[in-house]
Amino acid sequence: MNSVGEACTELKREYDQCFNRWFAEKFLKGDSAGDPCGQLFKRYQLCVQKAIKEKDIPIEGLEFMGPSKGKPENSS
């Protein structure tokens, strides 16, 4: 499947390959340590965010998974 932005499709493929390799070779064997694909994901995420802005795709009100998912906004 291609990405939302044509320029992001190759980054998506690279990230998908990295994740699938990590999932099969590490995670399913009990090794969930580390984040070998984190930098690829960040590059892909930035590309997608740029494509969304360029295509003027409305995203207000959509929920995204991420580090703050499920946490109160003012957690002290």
Side-chain angles (χ1 to χ4, degrees):
M1 175 186 284
N2 289 340
S3 181
V4 68
E6 278 186 47
C8 306
T9 298
E10 186 57 34
L11 286 171
K12 180 186 183 308
R13 286 190 183 125
E14 288 178 40
Y15 171 72
D16 286 347
Q17 287 176 349
C18 181
F19 177 84
N20 290 334
R21 186 172 40 254
W22 168 81
F23 189 78
E25 296 174 7
K26 301 285 184 174
F27 184 80
L28 290 178
K29 295 179 181 175
D31 182 2
S32 60
D35 187 5
C37 308
Q39 290 300 319
L40 279 173
F41 179 74
K42 286 178 185 177
R43 288 177 41 217
Y44 173 57
Q45 184 180 40
L46 290 172
C47 187
V48 167
Q49 289 170 349
K50 181 180 176 190
I52 286 172
K53 285 179 184 177
E54 288 174 354
K55 292 181 179 211
D56 201 26
I57 298 171
I59 59 171
E60 293 80 26
L62 294 179
E63 293 183 28
F64 290 94
M65 294 177 62
S68 63
K69 180 79 172 160
K71 294 181 185 175
E73 289 199 21
N74 292 330
S75 61
S76 304

